[in-house]
Amino acid sequence: MSDHAPSASELADFRAEVSGWLEEHNPADPGFLLPQTFMEVGSDQQLEFLREWQHKLWSAGYLGVHWPEQYGGRGMHPAFQNEINRELRRHRTPITFNVIGLGWAGPLILDIGTEEDKAKYIKGILSAEDIWCQGFSEPDHGSDLGNAQTRAVRDGEDYIINGSKIWTTMGNYAKYMILLARTDPTTKRKYDGLSFFLSPMHGTGIDTRPIQKITGEYGFTETFFTDARIPASCLIGGEGNGWRVAMQTLQYERGAAAGAAGGQVQVRVSIADLIDEVRSVKRDGAPLLEDPVVRDRLVQLIMDEKALGLADKRSTLGDLNSDYPMSLLLSYKLRVSEYQRRMRQYGLEIQGGLGGLYVGDEDTIAGGFWQRAYFNNFATTIGGGTSQIQCNIIGEQVLGLPKS
Protein backbone atom coordinates (compact mmCIF):
# COMPACT_ATOMS: atom_id res chain seq x y z
CA MET A 1 0.00 0.00 0.00
CA SER A 2 1.27 3.44 -0.89
CA ASP A 3 2.18 5.70 2.04
CA HIS A 4 1.86 8.77 -0.15
CA ALA A 5 -1.29 10.66 0.84
CA PRO A 6 -2.94 11.97 -2.33
CA SER A 7 -3.64 15.66 -2.79
CA ALA A 8 -7.15 17.08 -3.01
CA SER A 9 -6.78 17.55 -6.76
CA GLU A 10 -5.60 13.95 -7.24
CA LEU A 11 -8.64 12.69 -5.35
CA ALA A 12 -10.96 14.96 -7.31
CA ASP A 13 -9.58 13.69 -10.63
CA PHE A 14 -9.87 10.10 -9.47
CA ARG A 15 -13.43 10.65 -8.24
CA ALA A 16 -14.39 12.08 -11.63
CA GLU A 17 -12.85 9.04 -13.34
CA VAL A 18 -14.82 6.65 -11.14
CA SER A 19 -18.04 8.60 -11.60
CA GLY A 20 -17.66 8.52 -15.37
CA TRP A 21 -17.08 4.77 -15.34
CA LEU A 22 -20.13 4.18 -13.15
CA GLU A 23 -22.36 6.30 -15.36
CA GLU A 24 -21.50 3.96 -18.21
CA HIS A 25 -21.35 0.61 -16.39
CA ASN A 26 -23.80 0.80 -13.46
CA PRO A 27 -26.15 -2.14 -14.18
CA ALA A 28 -29.75 -1.49 -15.13
CA ASP A 29 -32.61 -2.89 -13.07
CA PRO A 30 -32.45 -6.64 -13.79
CA GLY A 31 -36.22 -7.05 -13.43
CA PHE A 32 -36.07 -9.11 -10.25
CA LEU A 33 -35.68 -8.24 -6.58
CA LEU A 34 -32.08 -7.58 -5.57
CA PRO A 35 -30.81 -8.00 -2.00
CA GLN A 36 -30.56 -4.90 0.17
CA THR A 37 -27.56 -6.43 1.98
CA PHE A 38 -25.31 -9.44 1.55
CA MET A 39 -27.49 -11.25 4.10
CA GLU A 40 -30.38 -11.65 1.63
CA VAL A 41 -28.67 -13.39 -1.28
CA GLY A 42 -31.07 -16.30 -1.58
CA SER A 43 -31.25 -17.33 -5.24
CA ASP A 44 -28.88 -18.39 -7.99
CA GLN A 45 -30.26 -15.55 -10.11
CA GLN A 46 -29.32 -12.93 -7.52
CA LEU A 47 -25.95 -14.55 -6.91
CA GLU A 48 -24.87 -14.62 -10.54
CA PHE A 49 -25.96 -11.03 -11.11
CA LEU A 50 -24.01 -9.81 -8.08
CA ARG A 51 -20.99 -11.99 -8.82
CA GLU A 52 -20.78 -10.54 -12.32
CA TRP A 53 -21.10 -6.99 -10.97
CA GLN A 54 -18.36 -7.44 -8.36
CA HIS A 55 -16.03 -9.02 -10.91
CA LYS A 56 -16.64 -6.11 -13.29
CA LEU A 57 -15.95 -3.58 -10.52
CA TRP A 58 -12.71 -5.33 -9.52
CA SER A 59 -11.57 -5.77 -13.15
CA ALA A 60 -11.94 -2.01 -13.62
CA GLY A 61 -9.61 -1.49 -10.66
CA TYR A 62 -12.19 -0.13 -8.23
CA LEU A 63 -12.23 -2.77 -5.50
CA GLY A 64 -9.45 -3.44 -3.01
CA VAL A 65 -7.31 -0.72 -4.62
CA HIS A 66 -5.24 -0.39 -1.41
CA TRP A 67 -4.54 -4.13 -1.19
CA PRO A 68 -1.13 -5.29 -2.53
CA GLU A 69 -0.74 -5.54 -6.27
CA GLN A 70 0.71 -9.06 -6.16
CA TYR A 71 -2.58 -10.33 -4.70
CA GLY A 72 -4.99 -8.53 -7.01
CA GLY A 73 -5.11 -4.99 -5.61
CA ARG A 74 -3.46 -1.82 -6.87
CA GLY A 75 -1.27 -0.86 -3.90
CA MET A 76 -2.77 2.62 -3.71
CA HIS A 77 -3.51 4.82 -0.70
CA PRO A 78 -6.79 3.92 1.14
CA ALA A 79 -8.12 7.41 0.41
CA PHE A 80 -8.70 6.33 -3.19
CA GLN A 81 -10.92 3.45 -2.08
CA ASN A 82 -12.86 5.85 0.13
CA GLU A 83 -13.60 7.99 -2.93
CA ILE A 84 -14.76 4.92 -4.83
CA ASN A 85 -17.07 3.91 -1.99
CA ARG A 86 -18.67 7.37 -1.94
CA GLU A 87 -19.29 7.23 -5.68
CA LEU A 88 -20.80 3.75 -5.41
CA ARG A 89 -23.25 5.07 -2.82
CA ARG A 90 -24.00 8.21 -4.84
CA HIS A 91 -24.71 6.20 -7.98
CA ARG A 92 -26.78 3.69 -5.99
CA THR A 93 -24.99 0.68 -7.43
CA PRO A 94 -25.80 -2.93 -6.53
CA ILE A 95 -24.07 -4.27 -3.44
CA THR A 96 -20.67 -5.94 -3.51
CA PHE A 97 -21.94 -9.11 -1.94
CA ASN A 98 -18.79 -11.05 -0.89
CA VAL A 99 -18.61 -9.02 2.32
CA ILE A 100 -17.21 -11.65 4.67
CA GLY A 101 -14.29 -12.14 2.31
CA LEU A 102 -13.83 -8.47 1.42
CA GLY A 103 -14.32 -7.10 4.91
CA TRP A 104 -13.25 -9.76 7.39
CA ALA A 105 -11.38 -12.77 6.00
CA GLY A 106 -9.34 -10.75 3.50
CA PRO A 107 -8.00 -8.16 5.96
CA LEU A 108 -7.25 -10.93 8.49
CA ILE A 109 -5.28 -12.97 5.96
CA LEU A 110 -3.37 -9.90 4.82
CA ASP A 111 -2.54 -9.06 8.45
CA ILE A 112 -1.53 -12.46 9.87
CA GLY A 113 -1.67 -15.02 7.06
CA THR A 114 1.33 -16.67 5.45
CA GLU A 115 2.48 -15.78 1.95
CA GLU A 116 0.90 -19.04 0.82
CA ASP A 117 -2.41 -17.98 2.37
CA LYS A 118 -2.32 -14.59 0.67
CA ALA A 119 -1.48 -16.07 -2.72
CA LYS A 120 -4.19 -18.71 -2.37
CA TYR A 121 -7.12 -16.65 -1.12
CA ILE A 122 -6.92 -12.89 -1.71
CA LYS A 123 -7.41 -12.61 -5.47
CA GLY A 124 -10.40 -14.96 -5.40
CA ILE A 125 -12.03 -12.82 -2.72
CA LEU A 126 -11.69 -9.67 -4.83
CA SER A 127 -12.81 -11.24 -8.09
CA ALA A 128 -15.89 -12.90 -6.48
CA GLU A 129 -14.67 -16.29 -7.69
CA ASP A 130 -14.43 -17.47 -4.06
CA ILE A 131 -17.33 -16.71 -1.72
CA TRP A 132 -16.67 -16.72 2.02
CA CYS A 133 -18.93 -17.34 5.00
CA GLN A 134 -18.48 -17.16 8.79
CA GLY A 135 -18.72 -20.04 11.25
CA PHE A 136 -18.83 -18.41 14.69
CA SER A 137 -22.32 -18.61 16.28
CA GLU A 138 -23.76 -21.96 17.32
CA PRO A 139 -27.40 -23.00 17.91
CA ASP A 140 -27.04 -23.40 21.69
CA HIS A 141 -24.65 -20.53 22.42
CA GLY A 142 -25.63 -17.54 20.25
CA SER A 143 -23.35 -14.57 20.93
CA ASP A 144 -21.34 -16.50 23.55
CA LEU A 145 -18.53 -17.29 21.10
CA GLY A 146 -16.17 -18.30 23.88
CA ASN A 147 -18.41 -21.27 24.61
CA ALA A 148 -18.22 -22.70 21.09
CA GLN A 149 -18.48 -26.49 21.15
CA THR A 150 -17.76 -27.43 17.52
CA ARG A 151 -14.76 -29.74 17.85
CA ALA A 152 -11.60 -29.91 15.75
CA VAL A 153 -9.41 -32.93 16.50
CA ARG A 154 -5.95 -33.25 14.92
CA ASP A 155 -5.47 -36.46 12.95
CA GLY A 156 -2.15 -36.52 11.11
CA GLU A 157 -2.20 -33.87 8.38
CA ASP A 158 -5.90 -33.14 8.91
CA TYR A 159 -8.36 -31.88 11.49
CA ILE A 160 -11.64 -33.75 11.93
CA ILE A 161 -14.54 -31.33 12.53
CA ASN A 162 -17.81 -32.17 14.30
CA GLY A 163 -20.55 -29.76 15.32
CA SER A 164 -22.80 -27.10 13.81
CA LYS A 165 -22.91 -23.37 13.16
CA ILE A 166 -25.96 -21.13 12.82
CA TRP A 167 -26.71 -17.91 10.87
CA THR A 168 -24.09 -18.79 8.28
CA THR A 169 -24.59 -16.04 5.69
CA MET A 170 -24.44 -17.53 2.17
CA GLY A 171 -23.20 -20.82 3.63
CA ASN A 172 -24.84 -22.71 0.78
CA TYR A 173 -22.84 -20.72 -1.79
CA ALA A 174 -19.52 -20.31 0.03
CA LYS A 175 -16.29 -21.97 -0.96
CA TYR A 176 -14.56 -21.13 2.32
CA MET A 177 -15.52 -20.43 5.93
CA ILE A 178 -13.72 -18.60 8.71
CA LEU A 179 -14.31 -21.21 11.39
CA LEU A 180 -13.94 -21.02 15.16
CA ALA A 181 -13.66 -24.50 16.70
CA ARG A 182 -12.52 -26.09 19.98
CA THR A 183 -9.25 -27.97 19.70
CA ASP A 184 -8.71 -28.46 23.46
CA PRO A 185 -11.78 -29.11 25.67
CA THR A 186 -9.69 -29.48 28.86
CA THR A 187 -8.52 -25.90 29.41
CA LYS A 188 -9.72 -24.08 32.54
CA ARG A 189 -10.54 -20.91 30.58
CA LYS A 190 -12.97 -21.61 27.77
CA TYR A 191 -11.22 -19.03 25.57
CA ASP A 192 -7.91 -20.90 25.65
CA GLY A 193 -9.05 -24.05 23.88
CA LEU A 194 -10.22 -22.49 20.63
CA SER A 195 -8.56 -22.39 17.21
CA PHE A 196 -9.30 -20.50 13.98
CA PHE A 197 -9.47 -22.12 10.54
CA LEU A 198 -9.82 -21.05 6.92
CA SER A 199 -12.00 -24.04 6.21
CA PRO A 200 -13.14 -25.30 2.80
CA MET A 201 -16.91 -25.73 2.51
CA HIS A 202 -16.94 -28.30 -0.29
CA GLY A 203 -16.15 -31.71 1.14
CA THR A 204 -17.59 -34.87 2.63
CA GLY A 205 -19.31 -34.30 5.95
CA ILE A 206 -20.14 -30.59 5.43
CA ASP A 207 -23.82 -29.81 4.81
CA THR A 208 -25.94 -26.66 4.88
CA ARG A 209 -29.65 -26.08 5.49
CA PRO A 210 -31.20 -22.76 4.34
CA ILE A 211 -33.06 -20.62 6.90
CA GLN A 212 -36.03 -18.52 5.78
CA LYS A 213 -36.22 -15.02 7.28
CA ILE A 214 -39.28 -13.05 8.34
CA THR A 215 -39.05 -11.20 5.01
CA GLY A 216 -39.65 -14.48 3.16
CA GLU A 217 -36.10 -14.29 1.79
CA TYR A 218 -33.20 -16.61 2.41
CA GLY A 219 -29.52 -15.80 2.91
CA PHE A 220 -28.67 -17.61 6.14
CA THR A 221 -28.02 -21.32 6.62
CA GLU A 222 -27.25 -23.72 9.41
CA THR A 223 -24.01 -25.59 8.71
CA PHE A 224 -23.36 -29.13 9.92
CA PHE A 225 -19.95 -30.82 10.26
CA THR A 226 -20.00 -34.61 10.58
CA ASP A 227 -16.50 -36.13 10.69
CA ALA A 228 -15.48 -33.56 8.10
CA ARG A 229 -11.77 -33.54 7.28
CA ILE A 230 -9.96 -30.30 6.51
CA PRO A 231 -6.19 -29.90 5.95
CA ALA A 232 -4.14 -28.86 8.97
CA SER A 233 -2.75 -26.05 6.81
CA CYS A 234 -6.16 -24.37 7.18
CA LEU A 235 -5.22 -23.35 10.73
CA ILE A 236 -4.34 -19.66 11.04
CA GLY A 237 -2.80 -17.94 14.03
CA GLY A 238 -1.63 -21.14 15.73
CA GLU A 239 -3.52 -23.80 17.65
CA GLY A 240 -5.17 -22.49 20.81
CA ASN A 241 -5.07 -18.86 19.64
CA GLY A 242 -8.51 -18.88 18.05
CA TRP A 243 -10.08 -16.46 20.51
CA ARG A 244 -7.45 -13.80 19.82
CA VAL A 245 -7.84 -14.26 16.05
CA ALA A 246 -11.65 -14.17 16.32
CA MET A 247 -11.53 -10.93 18.30
CA GLN A 248 -9.26 -9.41 15.66
CA THR A 249 -11.75 -10.49 12.99
CA LEU A 250 -14.65 -8.93 14.90
CA GLN A 251 -12.78 -5.63 14.96
CA TYR A 252 -13.04 -5.59 11.16
CA GLU A 253 -16.69 -6.67 11.27
CA ARG A 254 -17.68 -3.97 13.76
CA GLY A 255 -15.82 -1.21 11.96
CA ALA A 256 -13.20 -0.75 14.69
CA ALA A 257 -10.28 -1.79 12.47
CA ALA A 258 -9.40 -0.76 8.93
CA GLY A 259 -8.43 -2.95 6.00
CA ALA A 260 -11.69 -3.87 4.23
CA ALA A 261 -11.52 -3.96 0.44
CA GLY A 262 -14.40 -1.51 0.12
CA GLY A 263 -17.45 -1.55 -2.07
CA GLN A 264 -21.13 -0.94 -1.49
CA VAL A 265 -21.94 -3.52 1.20
CA GLN A 266 -25.62 -2.60 1.55
CA VAL A 267 -28.25 -0.47 -0.12
CA ARG A 268 -27.85 2.90 1.53
CA VAL A 269 -31.02 4.14 3.20
CA SER A 270 -30.77 7.71 4.48
CA ILE A 271 -33.09 10.20 6.10
CA ALA A 272 -33.13 12.07 2.77
CA ASP A 273 -34.72 8.97 1.19
CA LEU A 274 -37.37 8.92 3.89
CA ILE A 275 -38.17 12.60 3.45
CA ASP A 276 -38.50 12.13 -0.31
CA GLU A 277 -40.97 9.31 0.37
CA VAL A 278 -42.97 11.41 2.83
CA ARG A 279 -43.48 14.17 0.26
CA SER A 280 -46.06 12.04 -1.55
CA VAL A 281 -47.95 10.97 1.58
CA LYS A 282 -51.06 12.78 2.77
CA ARG A 283 -53.03 12.56 6.00
CA ASP A 284 -56.57 13.91 6.21
CA GLY A 285 -56.03 15.51 2.82
CA ALA A 286 -52.97 17.52 3.85
CA PRO A 287 -49.31 16.77 3.06
CA LEU A 288 -47.77 14.79 5.90
CA LEU A 289 -44.75 17.08 5.93
CA GLU A 290 -46.97 19.88 7.21
CA ASP A 291 -47.64 17.95 10.43
CA PRO A 292 -45.47 19.56 13.18
CA VAL A 293 -45.03 16.27 15.06
CA VAL A 294 -43.81 14.54 11.90
CA ARG A 295 -41.47 17.42 11.14
CA ASP A 296 -40.06 17.26 14.67
CA ARG A 297 -39.35 13.53 14.39
CA LEU A 298 -37.72 13.96 10.99
CA VAL A 299 -35.51 16.80 12.22
CA GLN A 300 -34.36 14.63 15.14
CA LEU A 301 -33.42 11.86 12.70
CA ILE A 302 -31.59 14.39 10.51
CA MET A 303 -29.58 15.46 13.56
CA ASP A 304 -28.83 11.84 14.48
CA GLU A 305 -27.59 11.04 10.97
CA LYS A 306 -25.45 14.17 10.85
CA ALA A 307 -23.96 13.30 14.23
CA LEU A 308 -22.97 9.85 12.96
CA GLY A 309 -21.14 11.41 10.02
CA LEU A 310 -19.33 13.91 12.22
CA ALA A 311 -18.40 11.16 14.68
CA ASP A 312 -16.73 9.24 11.86
CA LYS A 313 -14.60 12.28 11.05
CA ARG A 314 -13.84 12.84 14.73
CA SER A 315 -12.69 9.21 15.15
CA THR A 316 -9.70 9.94 12.88
CA LEU A 317 -8.49 12.83 15.08
CA GLY A 318 -6.68 11.49 18.12
CA ASP A 319 -6.82 14.75 20.07
CA LEU A 320 -10.61 14.62 19.99
CA ASN A 321 -10.71 11.09 21.42
CA SER A 322 -8.26 11.37 24.29
CA ASP A 323 -10.84 10.99 27.07
CA TYR A 324 -12.10 7.62 25.85
CA PRO A 325 -9.74 6.26 23.17
CA MET A 326 -11.41 3.82 20.74
CA SER A 327 -14.86 4.79 22.03
CA LEU A 328 -16.17 5.89 18.64
CA LEU A 329 -14.67 2.95 16.77
CA LEU A 330 -15.92 0.36 19.24
CA SER A 331 -19.39 1.90 19.32
CA TYR A 332 -19.70 2.34 15.53
CA LYS A 333 -21.68 -0.81 14.84
CA LEU A 334 -24.10 -0.15 17.70
CA ARG A 335 -24.69 3.50 16.80
CA VAL A 336 -25.25 2.92 13.09
CA SER A 337 -27.43 -0.19 13.34
CA GLU A 338 -29.66 1.31 16.04
CA TYR A 339 -30.06 4.57 14.13
CA GLN A 340 -31.03 2.63 11.03
CA ARG A 341 -33.57 0.68 13.08
CA ARG A 342 -35.20 3.85 14.42
CA MET A 343 -35.25 5.57 11.06
CA ARG A 344 -36.66 2.61 9.15
CA GLN A 345 -39.24 1.94 11.83
CA TYR A 346 -40.45 5.53 11.50
CA GLY A 347 -40.64 4.95 7.76
CA LEU A 348 -43.36 2.41 8.55
CA GLU A 349 -45.10 4.45 11.25
CA ILE A 350 -45.79 7.40 8.98
CA GLN A 351 -47.49 5.11 6.45
CA GLY A 352 -50.35 4.48 8.87
CA GLY A 353 -52.42 1.45 7.92
CA LEU A 354 -50.42 0.99 4.71
CA GLY A 355 -47.40 0.15 6.85
CA GLY A 356 -48.94 -3.28 7.42
CA LEU A 357 -48.68 -4.20 3.73
CA TYR A 358 -45.66 -5.91 2.18
CA VAL A 359 -43.78 -6.47 -1.06
CA GLY A 360 -46.13 -7.73 -3.75
CA ASP A 361 -49.20 -5.79 -2.61
CA GLU A 362 -50.17 -3.24 -5.25
CA ASP A 363 -51.15 -0.67 -2.60
CA THR A 364 -47.76 -0.52 -0.89
CA ILE A 365 -45.77 2.70 -0.77
CA ALA A 366 -42.56 2.38 -2.81
CA GLY A 367 -43.33 -1.27 -3.47
CA GLY A 368 -42.87 -2.20 0.18
CA PHE A 369 -39.27 -0.97 0.26
CA TRP A 370 -39.51 0.40 3.81
CA GLN A 371 -41.14 -2.73 5.19
CA ARG A 372 -38.39 -4.87 3.72
CA ALA A 373 -35.69 -2.45 4.88
CA TYR A 374 -37.05 -2.48 8.43
CA PHE A 375 -37.20 -6.26 8.71
CA ASN A 376 -33.78 -6.68 7.12
CA ASN A 377 -32.28 -4.31 9.66
CA PHE A 378 -32.79 -6.88 12.42
CA ALA A 379 -29.90 -8.82 10.89
CA THR A 380 -27.57 -5.85 11.48
CA THR A 381 -28.65 -5.30 15.10
CA ILE A 382 -28.04 -9.01 15.79
CA GLY A 383 -25.18 -10.03 13.49
CA GLY A 384 -21.66 -9.28 14.68
CA GLY A 385 -22.90 -9.19 18.26
CA THR A 386 -26.34 -8.03 19.39
CA SER A 387 -26.93 -4.44 20.47
CA GLN A 388 -26.95 -5.70 24.06
CA ILE A 389 -23.53 -7.30 23.57
CA GLN A 390 -22.25 -4.07 22.01
CA CYS A 391 -23.44 -2.09 25.05
CA ASN A 392 -21.51 -4.49 27.29
CA ILE A 393 -18.37 -4.01 25.20
CA ILE A 394 -18.62 -0.22 25.46
CA GLY A 395 -19.36 -0.36 29.18
CA GLU A 396 -16.49 -2.68 30.00
CA GLN A 397 -13.79 -1.78 27.47
CA VAL A 398 -14.44 1.96 27.02
CA LEU A 399 -16.00 3.17 30.28
CA GLY A 400 -14.25 0.60 32.49
CA LEU A 401 -17.44 -0.49 34.22
CA PRO A 402 -17.49 -3.80 36.15
CA LYS A 403 -19.09 -6.85 34.56
CA SER A 404 -21.73 -6.96 37.27
Side-chain angles (χ1 to χ4, degrees):
M1 181 185 73
S2 173
D3 294 327
H4 168 67
S7 66
S9 62
E10 287 176 315
L11 290 176
D13 290 343
F14 185 73
R15 185 166 58 248
E17 172 197 317
V18 175
S19 179
W21 186 87
L22 288 174
E23 287 176 2
E24 182 178 352
H25 295 94
N26 193 3
D29 184 343
F32 55 84
L33 201 64
L34 285 174
Q36 294 182 338
T37 78
F38 72 106
M39 291 174 280
E40 289 93 53
V41 181
S43 72
D44 293 347
Q45 188 181 44
Q46 291 175 330
L47 176 70
E48 291 311 311
F49 177 90
L50 294 173
R51 192 197 291 268
E52 181 180 346
W53 165 242
Q54 182 178 317
H55 189 275
K56 183 181 294 185
L57 188 64
W58 168 71
S59 298
Y62 298 141
L63 189 63
V65 299
H66 56 298
W67 284 12
E69 289 184 78
Q70 64 266 40
Y71 309 125
R74 295 176 63 181
M76 300 169 70
H77 192 276
F80 288 105
Q81 186 66 57
N82 293 338
E83 295 299 326
I84 296 169
N85 297 345
R86 292 190 186 97
E87 287 302 307
L88 292 174
R89 290 192 294 269
R90 191 172 70 84
H91 285 266
R92 296 182 177 272
T93 67
I95 62 171
T96 41
F97 76 106
N98 198 14
V99 172
I100 294 174
L102 296 168
W104 310 337
L108 179 73
I109 293 167
L110 288 173
D111 282 347
I112 69 169
T114 64
E115 287 302 313
E116 289 76 11
D117 291 335
K118 297 171 187 177
K120 178 178 180 180
Y121 298 117
I122 297 300
K123 186 175 180 180
I125 289 173
L126 290 169
S127 68
E129 179 181 353
D130 299 339
I131 301 170
W132 284 71
C133 64
Q134 182 184 36
F136 281 16
S137 297
E138 296 185 357
D140 296 328
H141 306 293
S143 294
D144 184 11
L145 299 184
N147 206 25
Q149 296 301 309
T150 295
R151 289 291 311 278
V153 178
R154 183 70 181 256
D155 182 35
E157 295 302 311
D158 295 330
Y159 279 92
I160 301 175
I161 313 294
N162 281 282
S164 65
K165 297 292 181 177
I166 195 74
W167 313 124
T168 312
T169 305
M170 290 193 295
N172 53 327
Y173 292 124
K175 184 176 180 180
Y176 297 108
M177 168 188 280
I178 47 175
L179 170 66
L180 188 64
R182 188 163 298 281
T183 46
D184 186 354
T186 66
T187 57
K188 292 182 179 180
R189 291 181 71 254
K190 60 184 180 181
Y191 307 107
D192 294 339
L194 297 167
S195 297
F196 198 103
F197 299 89
L198 308 177
S199 171
M201 286 290 286
H202 301 157
T204 303
I206 304 176
D207 299 292
T208 61
R209 180 185 302 159
I211 299 172
Q212 189 174 29
K213 298 167 55 178
I214 192 172
T215 60
E217 297 169 289
Y218 292 86
F220 296 128
T221 69
E222 187 170 2
T223 304
F224 302 91
F225 296 89
T226 307
D227 292 330
R229 284 184 173 270
I230 65 172
S233 59
C234 294
L235 180 70
I236 186 171
E239 188 169 298
N241 295 321
W243 182 253
R244 177 184 58 78
V245 178
M247 291 303 99
Q248 182 172 344
T249 306
L250 288 175
Q251 295 301 303
Y252 306 125
E253 180 177 357
R254 293 166 180 167
Q264 173 85 310
V265 301
Q266 63 179 352
V267 174
R268 186 171 184 264
V269 183
S270 70
I271 187 59
D273 298 317
L274 180 55
I275 293 172
D276 284 343
E277 212 65 68
V278 172
R279 294 184 194 281
S280 63
V281 178
K282 292 186 176 182
R283 182 179 295 167
D284 298 328
L288 192 57
L289 275 178
E290 293 181 1
D291 186 313
V293 175
V294 172
R295 293 172 70 90
D296 184 69
R297 288 285 299 275
L298 291 173
V299 167
Q300 183 59 58
L301 289 168
I302 291 171
M303 292 166 61
D304 290 346
E305 187 170 287
K306 185 66 174 178
L308 287 171
L310 293 174
D312 282 345
K313 293 181 179 179
R314 177 184 166 192
S315 68
T316 64
L317 304 173
D319 290 342
L320 297 182
N321 297 278
S322 56
D323 291 344
Y324 294 102
M326 294 295 290
S327 60
L328 291 174
L329 292 173
L330 287 173
S331 65
Y332 176 81
K333 189 262 186 187
L334 173 66
R335 291 182 288 109
V336 171
S337 62
E338 285 297 324
Y339 166 74
Q340 288 286 336
R341 179 190 60 78
R342 294 193 305 272
M343 188 259 288
R344 296 174 190 211
Q345 183 173 352
Y346 193 56
L348 296 187
E349 291 178 16
I350 59 178
Q351 293 183 24
L354 294 178
L357 303 180
Y358 196 61
V359 176
D361 194 300
E362 63 180 15
D363 294 324
T364 56
I365 294 176
F369 174 88
W370 290 96
Q371 286 84 341
R372 188 169 169 237
Y374 172 68
F375 283 128
N376 281 333
N377 196 68
F378 282 100
T380 62
T381 57
I382 295 172
T386 64
S387 291
Q388 292 79 7
I389 292 293
Q390 300 306 307
C391 288
N392 286 343
I393 291 172
I394 295 166
E396 294 168 12
Q397 298 188 26
V398 176
L399 302 177
L401 300 177
K403 289 180 177 289
S404 61

